[in-house]
Amino acid sequence: MEKTFLMVKPDGVQRNLIGEIVSRFEKKGFQLVGGKLMVIPAELAQEHYGEHKERPFFGELVDFITSGPVFAMVWEGENVIATARQMMGATNPKDAAPGTIRGDFAATVGKNIIHGSDSPESAEREIGLFFKEEEVVAYSKLISEWIN
Ligand code: RTP
Ligand code: MG
């Protein structure tokens, strides 16, 4: 089953949005298979956002993502990578549709509440960066039969 890496960013944690965000993905029909509250070390933040290291906002991005606890998660489900990105909304909240997480809760691109892997390759890479193999839990729920 497909897996993705999602993370409530420090602004989302400070604004008490962990429960709201977890609830949206649960209600959609995805399954939480890993989760932890953590402060990201600078080296991990630089590696995680490595694709942006030449961008002018890289320093700010790393400072922000390490500025307080995040809630890192692994979610599982059919097409979860692309669907989670749709549920998050556009990177810049000014372009994010109402009903999406960023559309509903964020106002500025630098503080956009949530991160989600953007491809199967980045999902695999990011899950590996943040979670040990034994921290991702395989389990089944009877309710799956009513969703898939
Ligand atoms: P993320 O990686 O955080 O899930 O966001 P994303 O895929 O939607 O967007 P991405 O292009 O990967 O950008 C990563 C984060 O960098 C910040 N950003 N700032 N100032 C700017 O122009 C700018 N552009 C991007 C955003 O916080 C974005 O989430
Ligand atoms: Mg990204």
Side-chain angles (χ1 to χ4, degrees), residues 85-98:
R85 293 280 297 188
Q86 285 188 333
M87 292 170 66
M88 289 162 52
T91 303
N92 193 330
K94 83 175 165 51
D95 304 318

Side-chain angles (χ1 to χ4, degrees), residues 52-115:
H52 299 306
K53 67 173 181 294
E54 308 302 333
R55 308 280 282 277
F57 57 81
F58 183 69
E60 264 174 57
L61 182 57
V62 169
D63 286 350
F64 170 62
I65 208 72
T66 58
S67 65
V70 300
F71 190 61
M73 299 168 282
V74 181
W75 285 86
E76 185 176 85
E78 203 170 308
N79 297 315
V80 67
I81 299 170
T83 304
R85 293 280 297 188
Q86 285 188 333
M87 292 170 66
M88 289 162 52
T91 303
N92 193 330
K94 83 175 165 51
D95 304 318
T100 64
I101 293 166
R102 288 165 171 167
D104 288 350
F105 301 116
T108 164
V109 69
K111 295 193 174 73
N112 60 3
I113 304 281
I114 184 168
H115 164 79

